[in-house]
Amino acid sequence: MRQQIKMIKERGQVLDIQLINQDVYDPALLPMIQNDDYCITPIVHAKDRICYPYEQKVPLLHFLDQYVFDDQEGYAFLIALFEKAIAANRTKPVLLDIQYVYTLRDGSDFFFVVVPLKMDHWLYRKEDCIDFVRMIAKHFRTHSDYEIVGYLYTLIEQEEFSLPNLVLGLKAIRQKYHPKKWYECFNKKEKESFIAKEEVAHYQIEIEEAGPISREEKIIHTQVIGMVEENNPYLLSQAGEKIELLFDQMIVGRALACQIHLKQTDISLNHAKITKADGKCYIQDLKSSNGTFLNEKRVQRKMRLRNGMKVIFGSQQFTFYE
């Protein structure tokens, strides 16, 4: 199927796909795509160029890179993902790529890009499914259910691999590692669903600039490490990295949009906030999972930062300097 696509490009919140030529395009698929709630409705500009507006959704890759699943969350998320992929892909050529499968910022639903190709160009796609699962396994992160990744890697090497078998296997593995209590068998519950405990950051496309970019423009969304200017307060990590506090308000967290971006899994997406006012710095915890500490005391309200204080986010320790 990928051989029939000449170009894939994102602009704003629209995905542009250009086919190699008009002969592979099948307009008969458009009504099926438009009537499927799991599919993003395409806008056809020409027989070889289709656009997909994905609005406030985020790529699956973006979600997986920012979220760490807690106990059994990964099972609910992946089973829902693969079941919807099976439903969407059954009679339509879904672009199975974690960069172009979309979800909401809380991971509660999924949306697929269907490329309207003639059947000869997409009917047999086992290798696409294997690559899709392999990339999910590579980017999947969890605090506890490590058996999930091992199972994904094992199954894609098996002759009997298929997405339906994958779903059945995930359900069996979950029952093995998380067996239900006897009384739970009598409780009739609605179908299990997943909602992230914290939404991931908005997805932003990096746009290439035509001319030179000023230092101020470069650091709008990314904190500069190792470049400390005179008279600016900063945090110094145990490894000797300096994080300059440049703005009046800065969010510390694992989300890519945070001004102070920490990648460790015990850091919440939006962990803490540092503010500057009248030449003084203050810190405030944002209901993080593992807490923010100032000189070994948990931050439970807005607190003043003073020169030489130890600041801890989760397991990451810094020293504050004015």
Side-chain angles (χ1 to χ4, degrees):
M1 176 175 162
R2 278 298 192 115
Q3 290 81 357
Q4 312 309 320
I5 298 175
K6 181 179 180 180
M7 179 271 294
I8 300 179
K9 184 177 182 180
E10 289 179 284
R11 52 179 181 84
Q13 293 186 324
V14 177
L15 182 70
D16 272 349
I17 293 182
Q18 184 174 356
L19 305 179
I20 56 171
N21 59 61
Q22 296 184 0
D23 295 335
V24 301
Y25 172 71
D26 185 3
L29 285 175
L30 292 179
M32 297 175 61
I33 299 172
Q34 294 165 351
N35 293 326
D36 192 331
D37 292 337
Y38 298 153
C39 299
I40 297 175
T41 301
I43 300 172
V44 180
H45 290 286
K47 290 184 178 180
D48 61 348
R49 185 180 170 215
I50 307 105
C51 296
Y52 300 83
Y54 55 84
E55 299 171 337
Q56 299 301 315
K57 306 172 184 67
V58 300
L60 179 59
L61 173 60
H62 176 79
F63 185 90
L64 292 175
D65 280 346
Q66 293 200 35
Y67 196 79
V68 182
F69 294 91
D70 281 337
D71 186 46
Q72 297 195 62
E73 280 189 332
Y75 286 103
F77 179 83
L78 291 178
I79 289 171
L81 168 63
F82 292 131
E83 285 181 340
K84 291 182 178 180
I86 291 167
N89 194 50
R90 185 173 288 119
T91 56
K92 300 181 292 298
V94 170
L95 183 58
L96 288 176
D97 187 312
I98 61 174
Q99 179 62 43
Y100 308 122
V101 171
Y102 295 88
T103 184
L104 301 177
R105 289 175 57 211
D106 64 3
S108 61
D109 211 347
F110 302 97
F111 306 89
F112 300 91
V113 170
V114 175
V115 184
L117 297 172
K118 292 181 179 178
M119 187 176 294
D120 294 346
H121 302 293
W122 62 269
L123 189 57
Y124 302 105
R125 306 183 54 217
K126 184 175 180 179
E127 288 302 319
D128 289 351
C129 294
I130 290 174
D131 289 341
F132 179 58
V133 175
R134 180 181 290 111
M135 292 305 296
I136 289 174
K138 179 179 178 180
H139 291 271
F140 183 88
R141 296 185 299 166
T142 177
H143 286 305
S144 56
D145 297 320
Y146 305 110
E147 68 276 1
I148 291 177
V149 175
Y151 172 70
L152 296 179
Y153 277 123
T154 299
L155 188 62
I156 60 178
E157 300 297 330
Q158 304 301 314
E159 186 65 31
E160 63 270 19
F161 169 84
S162 68
L163 291 184
N165 284 343
L166 177 56
V167 171
L168 292 174
L170 283 172
K171 292 179 179 179
I173 294 291
R174 179 172 59 180
Q175 179 61 24
K176 177 182 177 180
Y177 284 91
H178 305 279
K180 288 185 177 181
K181 307 296 183 183
W182 66 270
Y183 53 82
E184 293 178 329
C185 300
F186 298 97
N187 295 332
K188 292 185 178 180
K189 296 182 179 180
E190 295 182 1
K191 189 174 181 180
E192 182 182 13
S193 60
F194 169 84
I195 299 180
K197 54 187 179 292
E198 293 181 87
E199 290 186 347
V200 302
H202 289 283
Y203 177 63
Q204 296 178 331
I205 307 294
E206 291 187 4
I207 301 174
E208 295 182 0
E209 300 286 344
I213 307 173
S214 69
R215 180 176 182 275
E216 290 75 16
E217 291 173 319
K218 288 181 179 179
I219 60 178
I220 287 176
H221 297 295
T222 304
Q223 172 62 33
V224 176
I225 297 178
M227 297 176 59
V228 181
E229 291 188 357
E230 194 174 353
N231 299 326
N232 278 321
Y234 62 92
L235 296 174
L236 181 66
S237 75
Q238 290 180 304
E241 292 178 317
K242 296 178 180 179
I243 302 179
E244 193 175 355
L245 305 179
L246 298 170
F247 307 113
D248 290 339
Q249 177 175 300
M250 304 183 70
I251 302 298
V252 181
R254 205 177 67 250
L256 294 178
C258 291
Q259 288 80 18
I260 301 177
H261 180 218
L262 303 178
K263 298 180 180 180
Q264 290 75 16
T265 57
D266 61 347
I267 302 297
S268 296
L269 292 175
N270 294 293
H271 195 103
K273 178 169 67 174
I274 297 175
T275 55
K276 294 196 298 184
D278 300 323
K280 300 174 183 178
C281 291
Y282 301 86
I283 191 167
Q284 180 180 353
D285 187 74
L286 298 178
K287 298 182 179 180
S288 63
S289 299
N290 294 303
T292 302
F293 297 84
L294 193 57
N295 280 356
E296 299 184 355
K297 294 182 179 180
R298 190 168 192 133
V299 175
Q300 296 181 331
R301 56 182 174 79
K302 188 175 181 180
M303 299 180 68
R304 168 83 183 276
L305 285 167
R306 298 183 185 276
N307 194 53
M309 280 186 163
K310 302 297 181 185
V311 185
I312 300 175
F313 309 105
S315 63
Q316 306 305 305
Q317 181 172 310
F318 298 83
T319 303
F320 172 77
Y321 291 101
E322 291 181 315

